[in-house]
């Protein structure tokens, strides 16, 4: 039978792995958001567009 400490350590390792995966995903999403914001804020000129 596994010890309580062993089970807690295993859960902590699993949680740390999930946190790392989520951080990587958040970094990827933030990079995509920055790129989208940059492309959205770039002026685009359309023929016939009046400013």
């Amino acid at each position: 039978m596994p010890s309580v400490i062993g089970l807690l350590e295993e859960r902590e390792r699993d949680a740390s792995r999930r946190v790392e995966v989520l951080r990587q995903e958040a970094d990827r999403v933030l990079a995509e958001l920055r790129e989208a914001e940059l492309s959205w804020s770039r002026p685009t000129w359309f023929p016939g567009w009046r400013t």
Side-chain angles (χ1 to χ4, degrees), residues 6 8 15 17-18 24 29-30 32 34 37-39 41-43 47-48 51:
L8 289 173
R17 285 187 208 113
R18 285 193 304 270
Q24 291 172 357
V29 168
L30 288 172
E32 286 186 29
R34 275 187 228 107
E37 287 175 336
L38 285 174
S39 67
S41 65
R42 289 184 194 125
T51 56

Side-chain angles (χ1 to χ4, degrees), residues 17-30:
R17 285 187 208 113
R18 285 193 304 270
V19 166
E20 184 58 32
V21 167
L22 290 172
R23 282 184 178 149
Q24 291 172 357
E25 181 70 9
D27 289 344
R28 185 189 65 76
V29 168
L30 288 172

